[in-house]
Amino acid sequence: MRTPHLFVPCIVDQLYPATGLAALKLLKKLGCDPQYNSQQTCCGQPAYNAGYRDDAHIVAERFMQLFSSAEEIVSLSGSCATMIKVFYKQMDLSPSLRNIAHEIGGKTYEITDYIVNQLGITDIGVSYNGRVAYHDSCHIMRELRIVDEPRTLLQSVEGLKLIELDLADRCCGFGGLFASKFPDISTAMGEDKLASIQRAEVDIVVGCDNSCLMQLQGLADKRGMNLRTKHIVEFLGDLL
Amino acid sequence: MNLSPSEFKSNARRAVHDQHLREKIKKATGTSLVKRAEVVGEIPEWEELRQEGHDRRKEVIDNLDRYIRTFTGTARDRGMIVHYAGTHDDATKIIYDIIRRTSVDTVVKSKSMITEELHLNAMLETNGIRVIETDLGEYIIQLAGETPSHITAPALHKSKEDIARLFQEKLNIPYTDDPVKLTAVARERLRKEFLNARVGISGVNFACADTGTLTIIENEANARLCTVLPDLHIAVMSIDKIIPSIDDLPLFLKLLPRSASGQRMTSYVSMINGPRSHHNPDGPRQVHVVMLNGGRLQLAKHPAWKESLYCIRCGACMNVCPVYQSVGGHAYGAVYPGPIGAVVTPTLFDMKEARELPFASSLCGACTDICPVKIDLHHHLLLERREIVDRGYKPFTEKIAMSVWRWFMLSPARFELAGRIGWVLQKILGKKLPLPGWTPQRQAPAIAAKSFRSLMKGDSKK
Amino acid sequence: MNNELLDLFQSRVNDMGGWCAIAGSSKEINSIIEEKYKLGEEEVLYSGRIVEQFNDLTVTGTDLTNISPDKRRDVMAGAKLGITMCDGLIAETGTAVLVNHIAEPRELSLLPERHVVIALSDQLYPTLDKCLEKIKNSYPAGKLPSITLISGPSRTSDIEKSLVVGVHGPVEFGVVVVDRGK
């Protein structure tokens, strides 16, 4: 039995614990024995993206040490998986830590990538009657090039009609601290995305990053726009 | 609008709330992207061509000194007069001196971003020389007294109604917002200027080191008129415009027009191989090439930032950038807007003044994906963010905030505590809990009553 | 003659807003142009190079070389049509490649209101690299004249991205390909 270690990013931990619970449920259902190390905090991405490399390195180093013995790591965020798989390798690290960074990057998977390509499961045997749009978060799409995996899982849901957004490859405007440093631009970008979602006339928008969904949901709620968003594992987990 | 990159935040805020402007930019960039996708889609080996373009540009930038020497030599052999300008001031002085010796008071000029960098028109006009911009977009911008908002579509921020009013006022013609009629007016006015011009100024898209060929790409024929009709042609280029060989031109002519305007080929490509001579029977009697360094040699030596010099100025990164689409080019307050502008303005010009630009990105990476010479644009923004922080150009409070963040993240107990404090505050204040930079525009997400870690703790106790 | 290549060239020229006609012999050239534009002798200028190339060709118009050099520019600027030869056609992009030539100044493809290129079918290349190589090799090193690539009439999209044909250069552009094997 595979024993993937869950990486539950800070946003999921404090704001969206249901996503974490759904991931446990889903992985168990798919025959895994998921592990959770409660010592985990953050991968270091906020400081890394803000240019504070020392702060980022210290937090990243802690993460690497904590997960170095794990056989496989499954991330509940495409963006945090990118940090671990792509950006750790680009840090100025000591040689020993650099080895760990390479090793840890190789055994970390975004969860839909893990389910489809590691477990080899493309159909989890659930059904849903309605129109669903998948939101491509930029990191998962352009850094990890994971585009088909979440779609595969959604398309195999019986009765589900997967709708492509006309601005599918457009950023939602979140971008981490960018969202609060340049709220006007971030909002303008989010509004374009919301308009695209409205044109698609879907029941729900599903994604692999709660942060992007938080941006879209927050913008929609403020405007009184009717929008439902859900992390993909939560969406699928709820159907089990 | 204040044209300094240090004013980006306020400029961007103003631009974002200008719905009219946003609509215009969105329409223009959207049209370009659709056309680009069509003609790029025709080329199955597009990815390989991008890599080839990257490699050829890298070859030049890695050996820039040598390529400058080679190009200078071949261009001189072709009878061109080559001037090397170390600084922007040197370049404007050289250009002014060339014109002064001819005793003309009017020059015709085609599009050149380097001359924007030099603020050439203002300098020449102060010295009594009238500069006539002849590219339609540039002509519009010059009439309006503005600067280009896009490197290949300078008047992209103007609607046809804006242009109609401008022409009515400045050219004393009856109001018409028909692009065909407006273009005809410009043709008629500028044709006279071309036929009388004795000095023409142009930019250069590619300078071939092996043959000394100056290549100029355009659609309107104004660059041809500027470089064929006058007695004297001044070509203004930066040193990074060199490509190794004339044999590389077919590659770059495949990459550039498709990326820039969604064309398989622009209407005209001029390959200028020297002034009028026995084997080159017409054209100007003198061709001057003014080559600007302007900090580029230095930049070419930087292991990472040198990549920004690979740019072939197609503007596709601007078209695809959601930030550019939201604020337009002027908000950047810099000669080069959009992703390449955000990358190059701090490193080539003034990092302190432009310190906001690399942060004004969600790092979505659309620019990197579209770049025809595969410049890793969004990762460069990330690198520059570090440099800006290292140099202490960010507020001290931010540094403190990061240290506090780190302190919380180094301990799961402290991290949990921070979350719980947030939950309590949210319980008491409800929707009124202000999150700076978030809640004015968006509903705050609800902090969970129990975090995932505490739920798991409860689980294991059971 | 590669018909597929010629078809591609024709359709690319059309895409760029130009026209392309095939002449079975040099005698057909004039009738194609006359039918298209119905212009008088005074309004049409052709290059001396055409005369060199086709000794059996009569074009309604004036040979530029018969105009005194100091008047040529004004005459070209006032002409309704300029006719030139070329040094290659590129099928992929619908491009005519013009090398600067003593009897065919660059202004002739630039100043008249319209521009027509006369080409031979064996001048057709699939892509630019092949054509450029050929041209480069036919001149001694360092003696390559200036070259102009022309694809369609002059155009702009500077006003709200709407395409307007005919800006500072020719308003119309056409190619007559002489295919003697036709």
Side-chain angles (χ1 to χ4, degrees), chain A residues 13-14 38 40-41 48-49 52-53 55 142-143 145 170-171 179 181 186-187 192 215 218 222, chain B residues 26 325 362 364 369 378-379 385-386 390 398 406 409 416 420 439 441-443 448 452-453:
Chain A
D13 184 52
Q14 295 293 326
S38 66
Q40 62 181 281
T41 54
Y48 188 78
N49 282 355
Y52 289 83
R53 64 176 111 190
D55 297 312
R142 295 206 177 88
E143 302 282 358
R145 304 284 172 195
R170 255 290 288 270
C171 176
K181 281 189 173 178
S186 164
T187 302
D192 287 349
Q215 152 90 343
K222 192 84 176 185
Chain B
K26 223 179 284 175
Q325 288 176 11
S362 65
C364 78
D369 270 7
H378 71 299
H379 289 155
R385 288 180 183 188
R386 277 191 214 157
D390 287 352
E398 196 180 276
R406 184 182 76 192
M409 288 308 176
E416 173 70 8
R420 292 311 96 200
T439 43
Q441 287 83 8
R442 320 164 182 90
Q443 193 72 55
F452 182 75
R453 72 183 62 243

Side-chain angles (χ1 to χ4, degrees), chain B residues 281-282, chain C residues 41-52 59-79 81-85 100-112:
Chain B
D282 63 64
Chain C
E41 202 153 312
E42 311 287 274
E43 298 167 305
V44 181
L45 282 174
Y46 57 87
S47 74
R49 201 176 163 201
I50 295 177
V51 185
E52 290 167 24
V59 177
T60 311
T62 310
D63 182 345
L64 186 68
T65 37
N66 292 338
I67 294 166
S68 72
D70 58 317
K71 289 200 179 116
R72 278 182 197 163
R73 186 171 285 182
D74 287 341
V75 174
M76 285 190 276
L81 172 64
I83 306 175
T84 69
M85 294 288 293
N100 201 359
H101 193 281
I102 183 86
E104 194 170 85
R106 281 177 283 177
E107 291 102 313
L108 188 56
S109 60
L110 180 59
L111 291 174

Side-chain angles (χ1 to χ4, degrees), chain B residues 10-28:
Chain B
S10 53
N11 287 343
R13 194 175 308 127
R14 208 170 313 138
V16 154
H17 295 294
D18 184 343
Q19 282 301 332
H20 185 49
L21 177 72
R22 258 172 76 187
E23 284 309 313
K24 283 182 288 189
I25 299 168
K26 223 179 284 175
K27 190 179 156 200

Side-chain angles (χ1 to χ4, degrees), chain B residues 31-312:
Chain B
T31 308
S32 299
L33 289 173
V34 169
K35 282 164 68 187
R36 176 200 166 273
E38 274 171 30
V39 293
V40 166
E42 290 172 2
I43 303 188
E45 72 278 14
W46 182 252
E47 285 307 308
E48 288 79 20
L49 294 181
R50 287 176 75 210
Q51 187 59 48
E52 225 178 291
H54 179 97
D55 295 343
R56 299 310 280 157
R57 296 291 297 139
K58 181 175 189 299
E59 160 68 18
V60 170
I61 301 303
D62 279 350
N63 304 287
L64 195 50
D65 283 305
R66 177 160 61 81
Y67 276 104
I68 292 169
R69 278 198 304 277
T70 310
F71 171 74
T72 305
T74 49
R76 281 186 179 145
D77 288 348
R78 306 309 314 262
M80 296 190 250
I81 304 159
V82 182
H83 310 259
Y84 176 84
T87 66
H88 290 82
D89 280 349
D90 292 348
T92 47
K93 238 175 255 153
I94 290 166
I95 297 166
Y96 174 59
D97 278 345
I98 299 168
I99 300 170
R100 201 168 45 108
R101 282 200 294 273
T102 64
S103 71
V104 303
D105 58 3
T106 306
V107 299
V108 289
K109 181 175 168 295
S110 64
K111 214 178 138 26
S112 148
M113 286 311 293
I114 299 302
T115 60
E116 293 295 329
E117 220 179 277
L118 298 173
H119 304 293
L120 182 67
N121 294 6
M123 183 273 195
L124 291 178
E125 264 152 33
T126 317
N127 286 290
I129 294 161
R130 192 163 71 102
V131 183
I132 300 163
E133 290 287 355
T134 59
D135 169 86
L136 181 61
E138 292 284 350
Y139 180 65
I140 292 165
I141 294 304
Q142 191 181 37
L143 283 179
E146 295 176 11
T147 55
S149 69
H150 188 287
I151 61 168
T152 61
L156 174 143
H157 60 288
K158 291 213 171 300
S159 67
K160 60 182 195 292
E161 292 81 11
D162 297 338
I163 297 162
R165 280 189 294 272
L166 183 71
F167 275 35
Q168 183 185 24
E169 186 198 325
K170 302 276 179 178
L171 302 176
N172 291 314
I173 58 160
Y175 180 95
T176 170
D177 59 15
D178 177 357
V180 175
K181 287 185 182 147
L182 292 166
T183 305
V185 170
R187 176 186 170 102
E188 190 210 321
R189 302 258 168 158
L190 290 171
R191 186 46 89 94
K192 288 179 204 140
E193 306 285 0
F194 284 124
L195 291 171
N196 292 327
R198 287 169 53 204
V199 175
I201 299 177
S202 79
V204 174
N205 291 97
F206 302 107
C208 308
D210 61 343
T211 54
T213 305
L214 304 174
T215 310
I216 303 169
I217 291 165
E218 55 150 349
N219 280 308
E220 295 179 6
N222 63 309
R224 290 183 69 198
L225 289 158
C226 284
T227 58
V228 170
L229 298 189
D231 288 332
L232 188 145
H233 167 209
I234 306 171
V236 188
M237 61 178 268
S238 53
I239 51 175
D240 55 308
K241 288 291 188 303
I242 301 173
I243 58 173
S245 165
I246 195 168
D247 300 335
D248 295 315
L249 266 183
L251 168 67
F252 288 109
L253 290 177
K254 235 177 193 176
L255 292 171
L256 180 55
R258 281 181 159 84
S259 299
S261 47
Q263 290 175 283
R264 294 187 189 99
M265 188 64 91
T266 51
S267 295
Y268 304 110
V269 177
S270 302
M271 297 161 63
I272 297 168
N273 283 316
R276 183 183 300 204
S277 69
H278 179 64
H279 59 269
N280 205 27
D282 63 64
R285 289 174 201 282
Q286 266 185 43
V287 176
H288 291 261
V289 183
V290 180
M291 258 201 294
L292 169 72
N293 170 6
R296 285 166 171 87
L297 269 177
Q298 186 77 20
L299 195 58
K301 293 191 176 80
H302 191 285
W305 298 345
K306 66 175 185 185
E307 243 195 41
S308 62
L309 294 174
Y310 301 177
C311 176
I312 56 172

Side-chain angles (χ1 to χ4, degrees), chain C residues 82-135:
Chain C
I83 306 175
T84 69
M85 294 288 293
C86 75
D87 300 86
L89 300 175
I90 314 299
E92 187 185 44
T93 51
T95 302
V97 181
L98 277 72
V99 179
N100 201 359
H101 193 281
I102 183 86
E104 194 170 85
R106 281 177 283 177
E107 291 102 313
L108 188 56
S109 60
L110 180 59
L111 291 174
E113 203 175 308
R114 303 174 184 86
H115 175 211
V116 169
V117 168
I118 297 171
L120 302 171
S121 57
D122 59 9
Q123 289 183 306
L124 185 58
Y125 297 82
T127 49
L128 176 62
D129 45 353
K130 303 271 186 314
C131 175
L132 209 52
E133 199 185 318
K134 178 87 185 293
I135 290 172

